[in-house]
Amino acid sequence: MLLCARQEVALQPRVFDLLVYLVHHRDRVISKDELLEAVWPDVTVTDNSLQRAVSSLRAALRRGGMEGAIRNLPGKGYRFFVDSEIRPPERADRNQDGTRGAIGAIGLARRAAVGHLWLQAATLFQSADGDGQLSAEDFHDWALALQCLGRTAAAIPILVRAVAARSEAGDAAGAAVDAIALSGLHFESGQAAIGKGWLARAEDWASRLDDPPTTALLLWMKSKLAAFDGEPEQALALADAAYTAVRYKDALNIEALSLAYRGFYRLCLGDTHGGLADQDHAAAVALSSNNLDPVMGGSLYCNILWAARMFGDWARADQWTRSYQNFCSSSGMELTGSCQLHRSEVLGIRGSLDEALARIQDALARLTSDAPWSMGDANRVLGDILAAIGNDDAALEAYDRAYTMGWCPEPGRAMLLLARGEAEAAHASLERSLIGKTWWTLQRRGILLAHLALVAAHTHRSGQAKALICELSGSPDRWPMPSIRALTNEAQAILALSRQDHEAAMRHLHLARQLWSSIEGRVQIVRLRLQISRLQLERGDVRGATAEVHAAQLLANELGSPKRVADCVALQHDIDAWQPTARRQMCG
């Protein structure tokens, strides 16, 4: 394994194999062809695969200040350099009176912080703390390093010291900024009362200033509190005021953050076009900044990802998750529990269920201290993944935990109940999920309505199903996501089957499958292919049914879903049993 300060650094298997091979042969330059053959034996891959693996390895080594250990010699290959090629840490020399010299631990800590070597920075700041020479800015950077390492609880007392040092020095703007950070950390950890207290302290300092960035940051934090108090209109007004305060004021980080949250609240309130435009604009503003603060950047990415996930916009969620992971690597940040939560749900829809399960379990472990308020959503996602794998009882337990924690477990729980034959319970549960004005209920409204339309069709509530389909399809600007259009087409297929209109049912099922295919929603693609195959078999189209079930089984195997594999095998047996019967009938 790869260790940094006695902590394991997780690496993908191929990336680890690459490191091992480079270290074993560090006495020479290794050609690209040799590396490709050694790391990917019997697999045809391109140079891009090697470049991606090298990039991932350098990002991992950056934690120990060794990203330069892997050198690319143009036209020759790669070599792993150590000793003379890697500059050792400078000694923390002491003066005659015993105090550390100018290039002591404090100087090294500051250098490490500038270089985003967060583990080194945190360790060196801690070792220098006993000298009593740390400045307010040092406390701020020390807390930032701890946050980037995922140690938010440890960052809180350091930020308290930063606030005290700034206040003593008469730095009201700095004190307000760090107090706002403390407010956010307490709020994320579920200590809302303490968070509001720090926010009030920050507002007191900010009131003495004419400083737009500080004012905007304060308004942004107030918008977050308003949203979690169930006041999305107030949250939108505060985020808009924050953006207005810093627009064209050369405060790109805060401008991007407030703009992203304004978009988030617009999405809550049904302004899909405006909300998406705001969030895209925010990302462009942030990426145009050369000094995007890691914590602030993480908040921005996380906000956009939450919106994409809540909205059922899986293609967008996948793009932003990958972008967020790249941001974490480039800024030396640990992947947070929220990041693992985002990625696990995307994988649960589009990728490997085994990897999705591992990531959500990791997220649950981290979120306990990271952001306990989102534990309910993590249990909802865990339920979705377990249901897709086929562990129904465990999935229902996860959904129940999500509900107990105050989070809506829909639509996954309702779809599992429907599959188990409890259609009425599924319908009642979905209707309850639409009650309320919390931001997650408002943002998930479209995806919840689409599932309610599907369940209404299954429970012979054709009037309700048609009304919901009309509402969703009649507002394409508000509900443009392929996932919602796919679900309404599936609902239309169920209604068509109730009228014995097999042609229309088949057309709508194919449209639904194509829409899921457009965003690589592979779990849903398997389910719909099985529906199409069974309908084709009922109509005597054995060849078509066989082709669909074969495609479904290949995909189910890739996903790692024993449940869907078993469904495919059972349907194939029905097809095999149908063929001799059909031939006998033809001969008779």
Side-chain angles (χ1 to χ4, degrees), residues 304-349:
I304 295 175
L305 269 165
W306 274 102
R309 288 175 50 238
M310 295 297 106
F311 229 51
D313 195 346
W314 300 114
R316 185 182 178 84
D318 185 57
Q319 293 168 18
W320 281 113
T321 303
R322 295 179 188 277
S323 183
Y324 185 21
Q325 289 179 311
N326 291 335
F327 172 77
C328 288
S329 295
S330 65
S331 58
M333 290 177 65
E334 288 280 335
L335 287 180
T336 64
S338 293
C339 183
Q340 292 289 54
L341 169 56
H342 300 321
R343 189 64 185 145
S344 60
E345 185 165 27
V346 173
L347 285 167
I349 296 291

Side-chain angles (χ1 to χ4, degrees), residues 196-214:
K196 289 178 180 179
W198 278 110
L199 190 61
R201 192 79 180 99
E203 190 168 13
D204 183 45
W205 274 307
S207 66
R208 310 175 196 173
L209 305 168
D210 181 16
D211 184 51
T214 305

Side-chain angles (χ1 to χ4, degrees), residues 288-312:
S288 68
S289 172
N290 293 324
N291 60 340
L292 181 61
D293 177 273
V295 172
M296 200 171 288
S299 295
L300 183 144
Y301 273 109
C302 197
N303 174 266
I304 295 175
L305 269 165
W306 274 102
R309 288 175 50 238
M310 295 297 106
F311 229 51

Side-chain angles (χ1 to χ4, degrees), residues 252-461:
L252 294 181
N253 288 353
I254 302 173
E255 180 182 345
L257 192 64
S258 55
L259 186 57
Y261 274 74
R262 188 179 79 171
F264 187 85
Y265 305 134
R266 280 183 166 180
L267 290 171
C268 290
L269 295 169
D271 182 6
T272 304
H273 179 75
L276 294 178
D278 272 356
Q279 292 203 321
D280 287 341
H281 185 189
V285 170
L287 294 174
S288 68
S289 172
N290 293 324
N291 60 340
L292 181 61
D293 177 273
V295 172
M296 200 171 288
S299 295
L300 183 144
Y301 273 109
C302 197
N303 174 266
I304 295 175
L305 269 165
W306 274 102
R309 288 175 50 238
M310 295 297 106
F311 229 51
D313 195 346
W314 300 114
R316 185 182 178 84
D318 185 57
Q319 293 168 18
W320 281 113
T321 303
R322 295 179 188 277
S323 183
Y324 185 21
Q325 289 179 311
N326 291 335
F327 172 77
C328 288
S329 295
S330 65
S331 58
M333 290 177 65
E334 288 280 335
L335 287 180
T336 64
S338 293
C339 183
Q340 292 289 54
L341 169 56
H342 300 321
R343 189 64 185 145
S344 60
E345 185 165 27
V346 173
L347 285 167
I349 296 291
R350 307 182 77 189
S352 162
L353 292 173
D354 288 339
E355 185 181 354
L357 184 59
R359 284 181 181 267
I360 195 60
Q361 289 170 337
D362 181 54
L364 283 162
R366 296 183 188 217
L367 289 170
T368 303
S369 57
D370 247 14
W373 61 268
S374 61
M375 287 287 287
D377 193 41
N379 275 283
R380 176 188 68 81
V381 174
L382 174 62
D384 289 349
I385 295 167
L386 290 170
I389 291 171
N391 195 342
D392 292 358
D393 291 339
L396 286 173
E397 289 178 8
Y399 289 137
D400 287 343
R401 284 195 299 274
Y403 190 70
T404 300
M405 293 174 180
W407 203 276
C408 172
E410 305 304 345
R413 181 176 179 274
M415 298 311 291
L416 180 54
L417 291 174
L418 180 66
R420 290 162 66 100
E422 301 176 51
E424 289 299 325
H427 183 268
S429 189
L430 278 170
E431 287 206 314
R432 284 195 303 272
S433 72
L434 290 160
I435 300 171
K437 284 185 62 180
T438 54
W439 61 265
W440 60 85
T441 301
L442 293 173
Q443 283 202 345
R444 292 180 66 78
R445 184 171 178 80
I447 206 76
L448 292 171
L449 288 175
H451 280 89
L452 181 58
L454 180 57
V455 173
H458 275 287
T459 54
H460 310 293
R461 293 176 169 87

